[in-house]
Amino acid sequence: MAKSTSSFSELAQIYFPGCATPKNAVRCLQRSIKRCTKLATLLAETGYLPYNHRWLSPKQQMLIFENLGDPYPD
């Protein structure tokens, strides 16, 4: 579980390491969040705004991990 805020861009690059640029990874993560309506709703309840998301709180990170899966390989 995340214990501090983290950059949305850094998390996106962890989830989508094959993207050519960090900006592309951000777009991919944005799409994944949008497709998972439950996650989008839960994030909105924490104050997450889809187009103003430079930093994620530990709670927001936890919601993403729970709904999209753990991005860290075992």
Side-chain angles (χ1 to χ4, degrees):
M1 184 160 114
K3 294 182 180 160
S4 64
T5 59
S6 76
S7 160
F8 189 89
S9 178
E10 289 173 359
L11 186 62
Q13 291 174 73
I14 292 168
Y15 268 101
F16 299 96
C19 287
T21 66
K23 191 172 188 176
N24 287 342
V26 165
R27 287 184 188 133
C28 289
L29 184 54
Q30 287 173 326
R31 278 192 295 264
S32 293
I33 291 170
K34 187 176 179 180
R35 287 182 187 137
C36 183
T37 54
K38 176 185 172 189
L39 174 57
T41 301
L42 291 169
L43 285 171
E45 291 171 0
T46 68
Y48 171 87
L49 299 172
Y51 299 102
N52 186 15
H53 54 263
R54 294 180 193 263
W55 298 97
L56 295 169
S57 71
K59 179 165 179 79
Q60 291 168 334
Q61 292 173 64
M62 181 188 67
L63 290 170
I64 291 171
F65 295 161
E66 288 175 353
N67 287 276
L68 297 182
D70 189 350
Y72 303 103
D74 289 331

